[in-house]
């Protein structure tokens, strides 16, 4: 007698059980995800630990810093290190000098960069490609190679040991010109031509047509100029003589040299000097990302 095995037909739409290869791929995907998150956590700890150590040391009493206590008791945190850092050097006066240099240098670089970029893009004139090549070539010139001529020029003008002397060599630099020129090339030329046909001059076209259409790149250039001006060290040290006319970066170096045995004071001064740049980057991060992610040719 023969027997026949009958199978129940599978219901339509029923999911088939996962195969061994599918389960292996799913397990590998979960393992890869866990490893990626673990790597990100490790990298975050590596990056953020110096920031935490700076904050903790800046507000810890000297005795806790000497013991290496990096888990401070909030009840023991103090502002004595900040007050001492402000009294050791004229940090507030140097703050005002740095703010003045940053505003002057950033404003001048945006104006000169916008004018130069406009001239390199919109008006048709012979030699503008060669002129742009010269501008780009200056990016490869080390700043130290022109220090002596700059010192002689500024000293000859009688501007040594002044705010103007610190900002004067950097009123026009190549990078904002390059960045804005690349941004201006993405604009429709028909818009500029229409404005010119309506009787608008070059300055009016720049101010009312070109600049409003490229403000993310302008903000990016402004952030770069401001950070460069604020973090400048070698030239302000070289061209100034009195502590009251120097910038905060030079003052911080003097603080490190004079207070080597007081790490809390040094970290407090570092935190005070670093705070404006962090605030500037956080406030302008959205514009910075948009400016750098914009399509340029």
């Amino acid at each position: 007698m023969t027997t026949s095995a009958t199978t129940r037909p599978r219901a339509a739409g029923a999911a088939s059980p996962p195969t061994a290869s599918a389960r292996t791929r799913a397990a590998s995907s979960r393992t890869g995800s866990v490893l990626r998150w673990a790597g990100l956590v490790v990298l975050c700890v590596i990056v953020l630990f110096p920031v935490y150590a700076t904050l903790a040391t800046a507000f810890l009493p000297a005795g806790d810093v000497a013991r290496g206590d990096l888990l401070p008791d909030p009840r023991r945190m103090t502002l004595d290190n900040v007050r001492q850092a402000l009294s050791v050097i004229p940090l507030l006066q140097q703050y005002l000098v740095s703010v003045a240099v940053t505003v002057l240098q950033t404003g001048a670089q945006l104006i000169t960069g916008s004018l130069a970029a406009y001239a390199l893009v919109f008006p048709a004139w012979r030699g503008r490609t060669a002129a742009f090549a010269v501008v780009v070539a200056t990016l490869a010139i080390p700043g130290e190679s022109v220090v002596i001529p700059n010192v002689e020029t500024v000293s000859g003008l009688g501007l040594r040991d002044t705010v103007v002397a610190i900002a004067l060599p950097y009123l026009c630099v190549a990078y904002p010109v390059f960045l804005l020129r690349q941004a201006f090339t993405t604009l429709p030329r028909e818009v500029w031509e229409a404005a010119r046909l309506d009787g608008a001059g070059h300055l009016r076209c720049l101010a009312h047509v070109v600049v409003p259409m490229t403000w993310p790149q302008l903000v990016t250039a402004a952030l770069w100029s401001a950070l460069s001006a604020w973090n400048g060290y070698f030239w302000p040290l070289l061209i100034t003589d009195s502590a009251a006319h120097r910038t905060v970066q030079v003052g911080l170096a003097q603080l490190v040299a004079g207070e080597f045995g007081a790490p809390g004071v040094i970290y407090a001064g570092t935190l005070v000097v670093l705070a404006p740049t962090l605030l500037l980057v956080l406030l302008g991060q959205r514009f910075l990302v948009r400016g750098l992610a914009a399509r340029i040719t």
Side-chain angles (χ1 to χ4, degrees), residues 24-39:
T24 302
R25 287 195 298 269
S28 300
S29 178
R30 287 193 297 269
T31 303
S33 179
V34 170
L35 291 177
R36 284 194 296 270
W37 278 105

Side-chain angles (χ1 to χ4, degrees), residues 8 14 16 22 41-42 52 59 70 86 94 97 115 118 128-129 142 144 154 170 173 176 181 188 215 218-219 228 254:
R8 180 179 299 176
S16 60
V41 170
V42 172
Y52 170 76
F59 297 107
L70 293 180
L86 296 177
Q94 293 172 350
V97 173
L115 292 173
Y118 179 89
R128 65 178 183 179
T129 302
E144 292 78 6
V154 171
Y170 302 98
V173 294
R181 186 262 180 189
W215 57 268
L218 284 167
V219 175
S228 299
Q254 294 174 339

Side-chain angles (χ1 to χ4, degrees), residues 27-28 35 46 119 124 158 168 183 188 191 253-254 260-261:
S28 300
L35 291 177
I46 294 174
L168 185 60
V191 177
Q254 294 174 339
F260 187 77

Side-chain angles (χ1 to χ4, degrees), residues 60-69 76:
L60 279 175
D64 292 356
V65 175
R67 291 194 300 269
D69 189 2
R76 294 179 54 80

Side-chain angles (χ1 to χ4, degrees), residues 40-115:
L40 288 175
V41 170
V42 172
L43 291 176
C44 287
V45 171
I46 294 174
V47 171
L48 295 178
F49 179 76
V51 179
Y52 170 76
T54 300
L55 291 172
T57 308
F59 297 107
L60 279 175
D64 292 356
V65 175
R67 291 194 300 269
D69 189 2
L70 293 180
L71 295 175
D73 185 352
R75 295 171 298 180
R76 294 179 54 80
M77 299 183 72
T78 178
L79 294 176
D80 291 341
N81 292 329
V82 177
R83 286 191 288 265
Q84 188 175 351
L86 296 177
S87 63
V88 170
I89 59 174
L91 200 59
L92 292 179
Q93 178 66 26
Q94 293 172 350
Y95 240 87
L96 296 178
V97 173
S98 290
V99 170
V101 170
T102 301
V103 171
L104 178 61
Q105 193 168 307
T106 303
Q109 288 183 9
L110 288 181
I111 294 173
T112 57
S114 299
L115 292 173

